[in-house]
Every structure is written in structure tokens, then in C-alpha cells.
Amino acid sequence: MATAQLSKASSFERTLASARSTMLFSEVVRLAVDSFRASKTRFLLTMLGMVIGSASIILVATLGLTGKQYALDQLTSLGPNKIELQYGGGNISGPNNTSTPDYLTLDDMNYVVANVPGIVAWSPMLEYHDNVSVGGGVTRSTMLLGVSPQYRIVRDLVVLSGRFFDDQDALGHEKVADIVEPFATELYGSPQAAVGKTISIKGIPFTIIGVFRESLDTHGLSEISSHTMLVPYPVLRYFTGTDTLKEIFFTMRDSNMVVPATSHILDIIRSRHYAGSVYSAQTLTDLLSSMARIADMLTLVLTLAAGITLIVSGVGIMNSMLANVQARLKEIGIRKALGATSNEIRLQFLTEAVFLSLSGGLIGTVVGLALPLTLGFLTPFQIPISAWSAVIALATSVLVGVLFGTLPANRAARLDPVQTLKYE
């Protein structure tokens, strides 16, 4: 009997000790909510900085992704499957110590097409410059490019009026031409008015059958200038008298085939020419990768800059919590007098700080996501949204609450209950 009574007493002492040293987390949260309700205006104003900071992180990340997507789409429209083979240098030695450039040839192009799988379009390119007569004794400095009908596919050209010359025109050596839009507007006032007009090249009349433009403005960085005429390759050979080429264009069936095909093409070309000759193959693959990395880095930097707003908000939370501790000195003293431990006091105020920052982070995240989602819903624009930006915003909110709530929580935990109960 005595043993049972001792056991009950021991159990009671352990329960009492537990009540004095621990506190349910749910009760800590309830106290934090009660504290928030007691000073709604102050806490709402303090929370406002977290709302703005969290929304800024998401909006900046969204803007960065949108800009990245736009830039990559613009580059991709130039032809992600395109390979541009170029002659870079090297000569062939001939008799009497003469040398000639080791240019690409039409046979090179045909051999590549026959031996590299996945090529769906190709075109040679001859370049010829001349002052052409446009009638009435007027001449214009013009660049003529001799290409195949598939050049329109390779370069993704847009025909504005008329048509692009076809295989029948090339096989028949028809004297037809397609001219670029600025040239047509300069000469005839509009693309429509240019169709059917005649331009004389070395006394040979060429009929304009179409006007085109590039699908994306390359700002003079491509082989097409503002005074360019495209004519069938066999016809322009009349003026050059050679099969040699400085450039050949290929289009692959799939963008994943571009890199291996580029290596294969270069191996074939080098095997057909002298060892000292230089050839290069340009693609958009490396450029797209570099642009993506640059855009990601800029987005990261801008997101970090937006994160500074959260740090400023954290200082506001710390000041608000310090004022909160000062206003609740008697409460802290009474709780400690009733057995609350320093860890419980620290946990309570730290929870209040995290609750404050996380509430602002949640509202800011909702606002930051709602704006681009609404814009994407109401407009035809596809706005990319990163789920990671929301995760980062919420995680940063919690981190800010912990970092800037620690000092007020530690100050509250270290308070002497006797001194706090005397405080007036």
C-alpha cells in the first residue's frame, strides 16, 4: 500500500515538473495568434513589407523567365535546326607558284546530303555584287545571291507578295528574282507593286516574281542586306563561271541532330580538301545555351536584389517584436512566476515573429502568382511561372522571421521575473 502511494506521488511530481518545463506547441501558436489580434494595425503594417518583398521575388523571377523565353524564341525563329557551313581559309597550290582558295564546291554539298542522315533541306550560296539597272537610267548597288528554292525553307523566309522561285525555275535557268522588302519599297513603293517589274543585270533582264523578308529582323547580321536579290543558283553561275561556294546551308529534321550532324559534316568536308584548309560550321545551339545561362544569371541577380526588400522587412519585424516585448513585460513576468521556462518564452516570441513574417510571405506569394496568372488568363500571352520562386519566397519569409525574431525572443527569455513584475 505504501509502495502504491509512493508511486502515485512520484508520478504526480513528474507531471507537475513536466507542466512547469514544457508547453504544447499548439498553445504557443494560440498565444501568437492572440498577440496578433491584440495589435492588428501594428502587425499588419509590419507585415506589409513582407508582402511586398515576397511578391517582388516572384514577379522579378517571372519577368526574368518571360524575358528569357522571349529572347530564346526570337533566336529559335532564326532556325534552331540550321547548319551554316563556311569556308574559312586555305589555298590550293598550282603551277608556276600560283595558288587559289580551296573553296567549297557543289559536289561537296551533294556528297554531304547523300551521306549525312536527317538533312531535310539544303542550299548552296553564290554571292555577286553589281550595279543593276532598274530602268530610266537609274542603277542601284545590289547584292545577288544564287541559291536553291530550298533556301526559303532553310532561312525561314516570309514571302510578302508574288512567289518564291521553284525547282522548275532553277532547272529551266529562268531569269527570275525575289527581292527583299526594303529594296522593293525603295524602288517601287510597295512589295505588291514590285512583282512583275524587270531589273537588268549585265544587260540581262530579270523579272521580279516575289518580295520577301526575314522572319526575324537580324539587324544586318545575316547574309541578307537591304539591297539583296535572290536568283536561282544555276543562273548566277553565268556571272561567276564557277561551282565554288563560300557557304552552304543545311536544315536538320530535328534540333537534337544538329550537333552530331555538324561534326559529321565537317569530317566529310575536311576529308575532301587539303589539310591546311579551314572550314567552320555555325549553329544556334551554342548561342541558345549561352543566352539561357546569361538569362538565368540575370534572373538570379534580380531576384537577389528583390530579396533585399525582405531584409529591410526583417528589420521592421525585429523592431516591432522588440516593442512587443517591452509592452508585455508584466505578462512575461507573470508567466515566468507561474513556472514558464526561458525556452518557452523564447519559443513563444520566436513563433510570433515567424508567424508574422510567414503570413506576409503567404499573402505576397499569392499576390505575386495572381498577377501573372491573371494576365495570362486575360491575354493571349503565355507567361512562364516558376514554382521555385514561390518556394524561395516562402522559405525566405520563414528564414527572415527566425533571424530577425531571435534577438527579441532572447531578450524576452532573459528577463528577470522580479524586475518585470515591478515594471510600471
Side-chain angles (χ1 to χ4, degrees):
M1 188 67 177
T3 304
Q5 288 178 345
L6 287 174
S7 179
K8 288 181 180 180
S10 177
S11 176
F12 175 76
E13 292 295 334
R14 287 197 302 269
T15 303
L16 182 60
S18 176
R20 289 176 176 175
S21 60
T22 62
M23 186 178 186
L24 291 175
F25 184 70
S26 59
E27 187 176 353
V28 173
V29 173
R30 183 179 60 79
L31 289 171
V33 173
D34 289 341
S35 175
F36 176 77
R37 289 174 176 173
S39 305
K40 289 190 285 290
T41 302
R42 181 179 62 179
F43 282 127
L44 285 173
L45 291 175
T46 305
M47 189 191 300
L48 184 60
M50 295 302 300
V51 173
I52 296 173
S54 300
S56 297
I57 288 179
I58 295 175
L59 291 176
V60 166
T62 301
L63 287 174
L65 288 174
T66 303
K68 172 186 173 181
Q69 190 63 48
Y70 176 78
L72 294 181
D73 287 344
Q74 293 295 295
L75 286 174
T76 301
S77 64
L78 289 174
N81 303 352
K82 186 183 75 172
I83 300 174
E84 183 177 344
L85 184 64
Q86 296 180 334
Y87 163 75
N91 297 320
I92 303 175
S93 299
N96 301 322
N97 294 322
T98 61
S99 62
T100 57
D102 192 9
Y103 287 125
L104 297 164
T105 66
L106 197 63
D107 287 338
D108 289 331
M109 184 188 74
N110 293 329
Y111 191 84
V112 167
V113 172
N115 289 274
V116 177
I119 297 177
V120 295
W122 58 92
S123 175
M125 192 188 83
L126 278 177
E127 185 175 327
Y128 183 77
H129 295 265
D130 193 20
N131 290 321
V132 301
S133 173
V134 296
V138 179
T139 61
R140 289 287 189 276
S141 178
T142 307
M143 179 175 67
L144 288 85
L145 299 180
V147 296
S148 75
Q150 296 185 61
Y151 181 78
R152 179 181 64 84
I153 302 172
V154 173
R155 290 288 282 106
D156 193 22
L157 301 180
V158 178
V159 178
L160 301 176
S161 61
R163 65 179 180 88
F164 203 81
F165 56 83
D166 54 23
D167 290 331
Q168 186 175 351
D169 295 321
L171 291 174
H173 293 201
E174 300 293 337
K175 309 305 186 291
V176 292
D178 288 87
I179 65 175
V180 71
E181 180 186 13
F183 199 22
T185 303
E186 176 186 342
L187 294 178
Y188 307 109
S190 69
Q192 292 72 25
V195 177
K197 297 295 192 299
T198 300
I199 290 182
S200 178
I201 304 172
K202 295 293 185 184
I204 301 175
F206 278 74
T207 301
I208 300 174
I209 61 172
V211 177
F212 70 93
R213 66 172 175 83
E214 296 178 276
S215 59
L216 176 70
D217 190 353
T218 57
H219 303 285
L221 298 179
S222 72
E223 71 278 3
I224 297 175
S225 69
S226 59
H227 291 78
T228 296
M229 288 179 57
L230 303 180
V231 301
Y233 167 79
V235 176
L236 196 63
R237 285 177 59 197
Y238 291 151
F239 301 97
T240 62
T242 178
D243 284 338
T244 60
L245 306 167
K246 291 188 67 175
E247 293 185 47
I248 303 174
F249 297 91
F250 301 99
T251 296
M252 306 306 299
R253 183 171 57 249
D254 187 83
S255 58
N256 295 325
M257 305 175 70
V258 170
V259 174
T262 299
S263 178
H264 193 184
I265 290 171
L266 286 175
D267 289 341
I268 289 176
I269 296 300
R270 288 163 182 161
S271 69
R272 293 172 56 84
H273 291 265
Y274 287 90
S277 300
V278 178
Y279 305 95
S280 62
Q282 296 183 355
T283 69
L284 286 179
T285 304
D286 294 336
L287 181 58
L288 287 171
S289 299
S290 298
M291 283 293 297
R293 287 194 298 270
I294 293 172
D296 288 339
M297 186 59 64
L298 287 175
T299 301
L300 177 61
V301 171
L302 291 173
T303 303
L304 291 175
I308 295 176
T309 308
L310 292 178
I311 296 177
V312 175
S313 302
V315 175
I317 289 175
M318 184 172 63
N319 289 334
S320 178
M321 291 305 301
L322 286 172
N324 193 27
V325 170
Q326 187 67 25
R328 296 163 61 186
L329 288 178
K330 282 190 176 296
E331 175 193 331
I332 296 170
I334 292 171
R335 289 196 58 203
K336 281 197 168 187
L338 293 176
T341 65
S342 296
N343 285 335
E344 289 175 351
I345 300 297
R346 182 182 294 107
L347 179 60
Q348 177 187 345
F349 282 90
L350 191 59
T351 301
E352 290 182 13
V354 173
F355 177 80
L356 185 61
S357 62
L358 184 57
S359 298
L362 282 169
I363 296 174
T365 300
V366 171
V367 172
L369 292 175
L371 290 176
L373 285 174
T374 303
L375 187 61
F377 179 76
L378 298 177
T379 66
F381 301 108
Q382 297 296 324
I383 301 177
I385 299 175
S386 173
W388 281 108
S389 62
V391 173
I392 292 172
L394 292 175
T396 306
S397 298
V398 174
L399 185 62
V400 167
V402 173
L403 291 178
F404 290 93
T406 299
L407 177 62
N410 286 336
R411 176 169 295 185
R414 289 196 302 264
L415 288 175
D416 183 2
V418 177
Q419 297 298 323
T420 54
L421 291 172
K422 291 180 179 180
Y423 180 78
E424 294 293 339

mmCIF file of all heavy atoms in Angstrom, residues 300-335:
data_model
loop_
_atom_site.group_PDB
_atom_site.id
_atom_site.type_symbol
_atom_site.label_atom_id
_atom_site.label_comp_id
_atom_site.label_asym_id
_atom_site.label_seq_id
_atom_site.Cartn_x
_atom_site.Cartn_y
_atom_site.Cartn_z
ATOM 1 N N LEU A 300 18.664 35.523 -61.532
ATOM 2 C CA LEU A 300 19.131 35.267 -60.161
ATOM 3 C C LEU A 300 19.564 36.553 -59.482
ATOM 4 O O LEU A 300 19.220 36.806 -58.324
ATOM 5 C CB LEU A 300 20.278 34.255 -60.193
ATOM 6 C CG LEU A 300 20.917 33.926 -58.844
ATOM 7 C CD1 LEU A 300 19.887 33.320 -57.904
ATOM 8 C CD2 LEU A 300 22.106 32.983 -59.026
ATOM 9 N N VAL A 301 20.318 37.380 -60.209
ATOM 10 C CA VAL A 301 20.796 38.645 -59.634
ATOM 11 C C VAL A 301 19.621 39.552 -59.287
ATOM 12 O O VAL A 301 19.573 40.158 -58.208
ATOM 13 C CB VAL A 301 21.761 39.344 -60.618
ATOM 14 C CG1 VAL A 301 22.087 40.754 -60.139
ATOM 15 C CG2 VAL A 301 23.053 38.538 -60.753
ATOM 16 N N LEU A 302 18.643 39.656 -60.202
ATOM 17 C CA LEU A 302 17.479 40.499 -59.941
ATOM 18 C C LEU A 302 16.638 39.964 -58.783
ATOM 19 O O LEU A 302 16.101 40.737 -57.981
ATOM 20 C CB LEU A 302 16.620 40.595 -61.204
ATOM 21 C CG LEU A 302 17.232 41.378 -62.373
ATOM 22 C CD1 LEU A 302 16.356 41.255 -63.613
ATOM 23 C CD2 LEU A 302 17.432 42.830 -62.010
ATOM 24 N N THR A 303 16.557 38.638 -58.685
ATOM 25 C CA THR A 303 15.809 38.045 -57.574
ATOM 26 C C THR A 303 16.490 38.332 -56.242
ATOM 27 O O THR A 303 15.825 38.632 -55.242
ATOM 28 C CB THR A 303 15.666 36.525 -57.775
ATOM 29 O OG1 THR A 303 15.028 36.283 -59.034
ATOM 30 C CG2 THR A 303 14.834 35.905 -56.669
ATOM 31 N N LEU A 304 17.813 38.235 -56.228
ATOM 32 C CA LEU A 304 18.552 38.564 -55.003
ATOM 33 C C LEU A 304 18.373 40.032 -54.641
ATOM 34 O O LEU A 304 18.267 40.381 -53.454
ATOM 35 C CB LEU A 304 20.036 38.238 -55.188
ATOM 36 C CG LEU A 304 20.386 36.743 -55.279
ATOM 37 C CD1 LEU A 304 21.864 36.571 -55.573
ATOM 38 C CD2 LEU A 304 20.010 36.025 -53.996
ATOM 39 N N ALA A 305 18.350 40.893 -55.665
ATOM 40 C CA ALA A 305 18.115 42.315 -55.395
ATOM 41 C C ALA A 305 16.736 42.536 -54.792
ATOM 42 O O ALA A 305 16.559 43.335 -53.862
ATOM 43 C CB ALA A 305 18.265 43.116 -56.693
ATOM 44 N N ALA A 306 15.734 41.795 -55.315
ATOM 45 C CA ALA A 306 14.391 41.912 -54.744
ATOM 46 C C ALA A 306 14.357 41.366 -53.325
ATOM 47 O O ALA A 306 13.571 41.823 -52.479
ATOM 48 C CB ALA A 306 13.390 41.152 -55.616
ATOM 49 N N GLY A 307 15.229 40.392 -53.038
ATOM 50 C CA GLY A 307 15.285 39.827 -51.696
ATOM 51 C C GLY A 307 15.756 40.805 -50.647
ATOM 52 O O GLY A 307 15.505 40.605 -49.446
ATOM 53 N N ILE A 308 16.432 41.878 -51.075
ATOM 54 C CA ILE A 308 16.865 42.901 -50.118
ATOM 55 C C ILE A 308 15.651 43.528 -49.428
ATOM 56 O O ILE A 308 15.710 43.924 -48.259
ATOM 57 C CB ILE A 308 17.709 43.976 -50.843
ATOM 58 C CG1 ILE A 308 19.012 43.342 -51.365
ATOM 59 C CG2 ILE A 308 18.021 45.142 -49.923
ATOM 60 C CD1 ILE A 308 19.866 44.285 -52.166
ATOM 61 N N THR A 309 14.544 43.598 -50.151
ATOM 62 C CA THR A 309 13.306 44.122 -49.553
ATOM 63 C C THR A 309 12.898 43.303 -48.341
ATOM 64 O O THR A 309 12.416 43.849 -47.336
ATOM 65 C CB THR A 309 12.173 44.105 -50.595
ATOM 66 O OG1 THR A 309 12.611 44.768 -51.779
ATOM 67 C CG2 THR A 309 10.933 44.795 -50.067
ATOM 68 N N LEU A 310 13.103 41.986 -48.422
ATOM 69 C CA LEU A 310 12.762 41.130 -47.295
ATOM 70 C C LEU A 310 13.673 41.385 -46.098
ATOM 71 O O LEU A 310 13.239 41.293 -44.945
ATOM 72 C CB LEU A 310 12.845 39.659 -47.709
ATOM 73 C CG LEU A 310 11.797 39.176 -48.716
ATOM 74 C CD1 LEU A 310 12.031 37.717 -49.062
ATOM 75 C CD2 LEU A 310 10.400 39.374 -48.165
ATOM 76 N N ILE A 311 14.928 41.702 -46.375
ATOM 77 C CA ILE A 311 15.853 42.004 -45.275
ATOM 78 C C ILE A 311 15.404 43.283 -44.567
ATOM 79 O O ILE A 311 15.406 43.366 -43.331
ATOM 80 C CB ILE A 311 17.284 42.138 -45.812
ATOM 81 C CG1 ILE A 311 17.748 40.794 -46.383
ATOM 82 C CG2 ILE A 311 18.238 42.602 -44.709
ATOM 83 C CD1 ILE A 311 19.117 40.826 -47.009
ATOM 84 N N VAL A 312 15.041 44.280 -45.364
ATOM 85 C CA VAL A 312 14.532 45.521 -44.770
ATOM 86 C C VAL A 312 13.274 45.235 -43.953
ATOM 87 O O VAL A 312 13.082 45.772 -42.853
ATOM 88 C CB VAL A 312 14.249 46.561 -45.881
ATOM 89 C CG1 VAL A 312 13.615 47.810 -45.288
ATOM 90 C CG2 VAL A 312 15.533 46.911 -46.622
ATOM 91 N N SER A 313 12.413 44.368 -44.487
ATOM 92 C CA SER A 313 11.201 43.999 -43.750
ATOM 93 C C SER A 313 11.558 43.266 -42.463
ATOM 94 O O SER A 313 10.870 43.407 -41.443
ATOM 95 C CB SER A 313 10.316 43.105 -44.621
ATOM 96 O OG SER A 313 9.973 43.759 -45.824
ATOM 97 N N GLY A 314 12.626 42.465 -42.511
ATOM 98 C CA GLY A 314 13.069 41.765 -41.316
ATOM 99 C C GLY A 314 13.479 42.708 -40.207
ATOM 100 O O GLY A 314 13.205 42.457 -39.018
ATOM 101 N N VAL A 315 14.120 43.808 -40.579
ATOM 102 C CA VAL A 315 14.481 44.817 -39.573
ATOM 103 C C VAL A 315 13.219 45.402 -38.950
ATOM 104 O O VAL A 315 13.148 45.624 -37.731
ATOM 105 C CB VAL A 315 15.341 45.925 -40.226
ATOM 106 C CG1 VAL A 315 15.614 47.041 -39.220
ATOM 107 C CG2 VAL A 315 16.646 45.347 -40.745
ATOM 108 N N GLY A 316 12.194 45.618 -39.791
ATOM 109 C CA GLY A 316 10.927 46.117 -39.268
ATOM 110 C C GLY A 316 10.280 45.126 -38.311
ATOM 111 O O GLY A 316 9.716 45.516 -37.275
ATOM 112 N N ILE A 317 10.369 43.833 -38.646
ATOM 113 C CA ILE A 317 9.823 42.805 -37.753
ATOM 114 C C ILE A 317 10.569 42.796 -36.425
ATOM 115 O O ILE A 317 9.960 42.681 -35.350
ATOM 116 C CB ILE A 317 9.901 41.426 -38.441
ATOM 117 C CG1 ILE A 317 8.893 41.347 -39.585
ATOM 118 C CG2 ILE A 317 9.653 40.295 -37.443
ATOM 119 C CD1 ILE A 317 8.974 40.071 -40.388
ATOM 120 N N MET A 318 11.880 42.914 -36.474
ATOM 121 C CA MET A 318 12.671 42.920 -35.241
ATOM 122 C C MET A 318 12.292 44.107 -34.362
ATOM 123 O O MET A 318 12.108 43.966 -33.142
ATOM 124 C CB MET A 318 14.165 42.966 -35.570
ATOM 125 C CG MET A 318 15.072 42.889 -34.341
ATOM 126 S SD MET A 318 16.809 42.721 -34.772
ATOM 127 C CE MET A 318 17.091 44.271 -35.641
ATOM 128 N N ASN A 319 12.159 45.269 -34.962
ATOM 129 C CA ASN A 319 11.779 46.457 -34.183
ATOM 130 C C ASN A 319 10.380 46.279 -33.578
ATOM 131 O O ASN A 319 10.138 46.637 -32.419
ATOM 132 C CB ASN A 319 11.813 47.703 -35.071
ATOM 133 C CG ASN A 319 13.231 48.110 -35.434
ATOM 134 O OD1 ASN A 319 14.171 47.814 -34.707
ATOM 135 N ND2 ASN A 319 13.369 48.771 -36.559
ATOM 136 N N SER A 320 9.466 45.724 -34.370
ATOM 137 C CA SER A 320 8.107 45.519 -33.879
ATOM 138 C C SER A 320 8.086 44.519 -32.730
ATOM 139 O O SER A 320 7.386 44.708 -31.721
ATOM 140 C CB SER A 320 7.213 45.029 -35.025
ATOM 141 O OG SER A 320 5.903 44.777 -34.572
ATOM 142 N N MET A 321 8.875 43.453 -32.843
ATOM 143 C CA MET A 321 8.912 42.444 -31.789
ATOM 144 C C MET A 321 9.597 42.970 -30.533
ATOM 145 O O MET A 321 9.207 42.627 -29.404
ATOM 146 C CB MET A 321 9.619 41.188 -32.299
ATOM 147 C CG MET A 321 8.854 40.421 -33.357
ATOM 148 S SD MET A 321 7.186 39.946 -32.846
ATOM 149 C CE MET A 321 7.546 38.954 -31.411
ATOM 150 N N LEU A 322 10.614 43.813 -30.694
ATOM 151 C CA LEU A 322 11.256 44.420 -29.521
ATOM 152 C C LEU A 322 10.258 45.309 -28.780
ATOM 153 O O LEU A 322 10.195 45.305 -27.540
ATOM 154 C CB LEU A 322 12.477 45.224 -29.946
ATOM 155 C CG LEU A 322 13.715 44.415 -30.350
ATOM 156 C CD1 LEU A 322 14.790 45.332 -30.924
ATOM 157 C CD2 LEU A 322 14.278 43.636 -29.154
ATOM 158 N N ALA A 323 9.464 46.065 -29.549
ATOM 159 C CA ALA A 323 8.432 46.894 -28.919
ATOM 160 C C ALA A 323 7.374 46.019 -28.263
ATOM 161 O O ALA A 323 6.833 46.350 -27.197
ATOM 162 C CB ALA A 323 7.803 47.809 -29.967
ATOM 163 N N ASN A 324 7.095 44.873 -28.898
ATOM 164 C CA ASN A 324 6.112 43.948 -28.343
ATOM 165 C C ASN A 324 6.593 43.362 -27.010
ATOM 166 O O ASN A 324 5.817 43.210 -26.056
ATOM 167 C CB ASN A 324 5.855 42.835 -29.356
ATOM 168 C CG ASN A 324 4.622 42.017 -29.008
ATOM 169 O OD1 ASN A 324 3.706 42.513 -28.364
ATOM 170 N ND2 ASN A 324 4.617 40.768 -29.435
ATOM 171 N N VAL A 325 7.876 43.040 -26.942
ATOM 172 C CA VAL A 325 8.446 42.527 -25.693
ATOM 173 C C VAL A 325 8.348 43.574 -24.596
ATOM 174 O O VAL A 325 7.970 43.284 -23.458
ATOM 175 C CB VAL A 325 9.913 42.098 -25.914
ATOM 176 C CG1 VAL A 325 10.592 41.794 -24.571
ATOM 177 C CG2 VAL A 325 9.983 40.877 -26.825
ATOM 178 N N GLN A 326 8.677 44.813 -24.934
ATOM 179 C CA GLN A 326 8.635 45.890 -23.944
ATOM 180 C C GLN A 326 7.210 46.126 -23.445
ATOM 181 O O GLN A 326 6.991 46.403 -22.256
ATOM 182 C CB GLN A 326 9.196 47.181 -24.581
ATOM 183 C CG GLN A 326 9.371 48.337 -23.616
ATOM 184 C CD GLN A 326 10.460 48.069 -22.582
ATOM 185 O OE1 GLN A 326 11.379 47.280 -22.825
ATOM 186 N NE2 GLN A 326 10.347 48.701 -21.423
ATOM 187 N N ALA A 327 6.221 45.981 -24.330
ATOM 188 C CA ALA A 327 4.831 46.226 -23.942
ATOM 189 C C ALA A 327 4.254 45.082 -23.112
ATOM 190 O O ALA A 327 3.222 45.258 -22.455
ATOM 191 C CB ALA A 327 3.987 46.447 -25.196
ATOM 192 N N ARG A 328 4.904 43.914 -23.155
ATOM 193 C CA ARG A 328 4.349 42.746 -22.467
ATOM 194 C C ARG A 328 5.255 42.253 -21.335
ATOM 195 O O ARG A 328 5.301 41.063 -21.033
ATOM 196 C CB ARG A 328 4.130 41.626 -23.489
ATOM 197 C CG ARG A 328 3.095 41.996 -24.548
ATOM 198 C CD ARG A 328 3.161 41.099 -25.761
ATOM 199 N NE ARG A 328 2.893 39.702 -25.439
ATOM 200 C CZ ARG A 328 3.009 38.704 -26.328
ATOM 201 N NH1 ARG A 328 3.380 38.987 -27.576
ATOM 202 N NH2 ARG A 328 2.758 37.463 -25.967
ATOM 203 N N LEU A 329 5.948 43.199 -20.714
ATOM 204 C CA LEU A 329 6.863 42.819 -19.634
ATOM 205 C C LEU A 329 6.122 42.143 -18.488
ATOM 206 O O LEU A 329 6.583 41.129 -17.948
ATOM 207 C CB LEU A 329 7.623 44.047 -19.127
ATOM 208 C CG LEU A 329 8.711 44.613 -20.059
ATOM 209 C CD1 LEU A 329 9.339 45.851 -19.447
ATOM 210 C CD2 LEU A 329 9.781 43.562 -20.312
ATOM 211 N N LYS A 330 5.000 42.715 -18.074
ATOM 212 C CA LYS A 330 4.247 42.127 -16.965
ATOM 213 C C LYS A 330 3.759 40.724 -17.311
ATOM 214 O O LYS A 330 3.783 39.813 -16.473
ATOM 215 C CB LYS A 330 3.075 43.025 -16.584
ATOM 216 C CG LYS A 330 3.472 44.230 -15.740
ATOM 217 C CD LYS A 330 2.256 44.928 -15.194
ATOM 218 C CE LYS A 330 2.659 46.077 -14.259
ATOM 219 N NZ LYS A 330 3.364 45.569 -13.056
ATOM 220 N N GLU A 331 3.291 40.553 -18.544
ATOM 221 C CA GLU A 331 2.830 39.226 -18.963
ATOM 222 C C GLU A 331 3.967 38.211 -18.866
ATOM 223 O O GLU A 331 3.777 37.085 -18.386
ATOM 224 C CB GLU A 331 2.302 39.292 -20.398
ATOM 225 C CG GLU A 331 1.903 37.934 -20.966
ATOM 226 C CD GLU A 331 1.681 37.965 -22.476
ATOM 227 O OE1 GLU A 331 1.293 39.029 -22.990
ATOM 228 O OE2 GLU A 331 1.909 36.928 -23.119
ATOM 229 N N ILE A 332 5.157 38.619 -19.331
ATOM 230 C CA ILE A 332 6.311 37.723 -19.273
ATOM 231 C C ILE A 332 6.655 37.384 -17.824
ATOM 232 O O ILE A 332 6.937 36.236 -17.483
ATOM 233 C CB ILE A 332 7.517 38.367 -19.996
ATOM 234 C CG1 ILE A 332 7.199 38.554 -21.487
ATOM 235 C CG2 ILE A 332 8.773 37.518 -19.819
ATOM 236 C CD1 ILE A 332 8.214 39.386 -22.221
ATOM 237 N N GLY A 333 6.626 38.428 -16.974
ATOM 238 C CA GLY A 333 6.932 38.196 -15.563
ATOM 239 C C GLY A 333 5.933 37.246 -14.915
ATOM 240 O O GLY A 333 6.315 36.345 -14.157
ATOM 241 N N ILE A 334 4.638 37.423 -15.181
ATOM 242 C CA ILE A 334 3.617 36.550 -14.603
ATOM 243 C C ILE A 334 3.794 35.117 -15.088
ATOM 244 O O ILE A 334 3.705 34.162 -14.305
ATOM 245 C CB ILE A 334 2.214 37.084 -14.948
ATOM 246 C CG1 ILE A 334 1.959 38.421 -14.232
ATOM 247 C CG2 ILE A 334 1.137 36.081 -14.573
ATOM 248 C CD1 ILE A 334 0.695 39.116 -14.676
ATOM 249 N N ARG A 335 4.060 34.943 -16.386
ATOM 250 C CA ARG A 335 4.236 33.594 -16.918
ATOM 251 C C ARG A 335 5.444 32.903 -16.304
ATOM 252 O O ARG A 335 5.413 31.717 -15.998
ATOM 253 C CB ARG A 335 4.379 33.644 -18.444
ATOM 254 C CG ARG A 335 3.066 33.989 -19.169
ATOM 255 C CD ARG A 335 3.165 33.658 -20.630
ATOM 256 N NE ARG A 335 3.468 32.244 -20.799
ATOM 257 C CZ ARG A 335 4.041 31.740 -21.901
ATOM 258 N NH1 ARG A 335 4.391 32.561 -22.879
ATOM 259 N NH2 ARG A 335 4.281 30.461 -21.988
#
